[in-house]
Amino acid sequence: MTSLPDRSQSPPPHTAPHQTASAAPAAPARRRGKALERAIFEATLDQLTSGGFARLTMEGVAGAAQTGKAALYRRWASKQELVLDALASSLPPATDIPDLGSARAELRKLAERMCTSVQSPAGAAMRVLMGELDHDRARVFASFVQDRVVEPAKREMLEILRRGVARGDVRPDAADPLIADVVPALLLYRSKVCGGELPEGFAERLVDQVLLPMVAPRPGPPTPGGGASA
């Protein structure tokens, strides 16, 4: 009778070599300071533009900025305050136009900067606000537009016109607040009524076809010889 083999002495079955589990992906670095503030402002403007003020939430902004909601409430008590700070921080400046030697060059630079502002993410967010909010809530944002966009642009334009008067390429009575209203008023109209779309070359045409004819020195009265006086 053949005895069965003693399996108690058999070598252990082959096992696959131990495989080290792959390391978990590292968590993204936590933003702080100015980097966190930029992320919050970008998320605020993005959500405001895509969903409107009514659907904007502090929770949504915090999630998009990869931070906690408490970080927002430590600085901003409401989404209105957050939106105002995001707009103020993100709007491209339109002021501080240097002396470029001619009113045309300076007015064109101002118009180009204001067009850039209208077409920026902050400009798009302001268009959403102006189109969505009721009168009571819109008052705060209207004051912001007046204080941070319209009035600085008017002051800059008046300074450009005064330099032009001193050089002689702007007539003396053209350095007037009414004329300084033209650029911000036209751009606000384009934002409110036309959706903010500005065709290529708009800034140059605005200067050459609208502003310069309004401010250029007028020809003098005809001289006895038939020409205009200098």
Side-chain angles (χ1 to χ4, degrees):
M1 180 176 177
T2 304
S3 60
L4 294 173
D6 184 1
R7 298 188 182 276
S8 63
Q9 302 301 320
S10 300
H14 176 73
T15 57
H18 178 68
Q19 297 183 0
T20 305
S22 59
R30 190 175 183 83
R31 297 187 181 98
R32 298 182 184 278
K34 290 296 183 182
L36 176 59
E37 183 181 81
R38 283 195 300 272
I40 291 172
F41 288 162
E42 288 173 4
T44 300
L45 296 180
D46 181 64
Q47 297 214 354
L48 179 61
T49 304
S50 61
F53 186 80
R55 297 177 61 187
L56 177 73
T57 64
M58 300 291 264
E59 292 86 347
V61 171
Q66 298 182 356
T67 189
K69 183 172 63 173
L72 273 65
Y73 279 111
R74 278 196 295 269
R75 181 166 177 183
W76 299 282
S78 68
K79 66 179 184 179
Q80 177 176 295
E81 293 180 9
L82 173 59
V83 167
L84 287 172
D85 271 4
L87 291 173
S89 174
S90 306
L91 271 175
T95 54
D96 299 325
I97 306 296
D99 187 335
L100 300 176
S102 74
R104 181 183 185 274
E106 294 168 17
L107 289 171
R108 182 172 175 180
K109 178 66 71 174
L110 176 62
E112 287 171 348
R113 288 189 181 180
M114 293 198 69
C115 289
T116 297
S117 182
V118 166
Q119 296 182 300
S120 70
M126 284 196 299
R127 289 197 297 276
V128 171
L129 288 171
M130 289 189 291
E132 177 186 2
L133 298 182
D134 58 46
H135 181 72
D136 290 336
R137 286 191 299 169
R139 187 178 295 114
V140 174
F141 295 106
S143 297
F144 172 88
V145 172
Q146 185 71 21
D147 296 341
R148 298 297 298 266
V149 179
V150 175
E151 289 302 323
K154 288 175 60 177
R155 288 194 297 269
E156 192 70 27
M157 186 162 176
L158 282 171
E159 181 62 26
I160 291 171
L161 294 175
R162 291 181 186 119
R163 287 200 296 262
V165 170
R167 282 192 299 259
D169 55 355
V170 171
R171 69 177 189 275
D173 64 340
D176 184 277
L178 185 61
I179 292 179
D181 273 334
V182 171
V183 174
L186 181 55
L187 288 176
L188 285 174
Y189 163 78
R190 299 285 305 195
S191 293
K192 181 73 173 178
V193 178
C194 305
E197 294 297 326
L198 301 177
E200 185 177 353
F202 179 83
E204 183 175 7
R205 289 169 51 215
L206 172 59
V207 171
D208 290 343
Q209 298 180 20
V210 178
L211 292 178
L212 287 182
M214 295 175 67
V215 305
R218 297 188 178 99
T223 61
S229 64

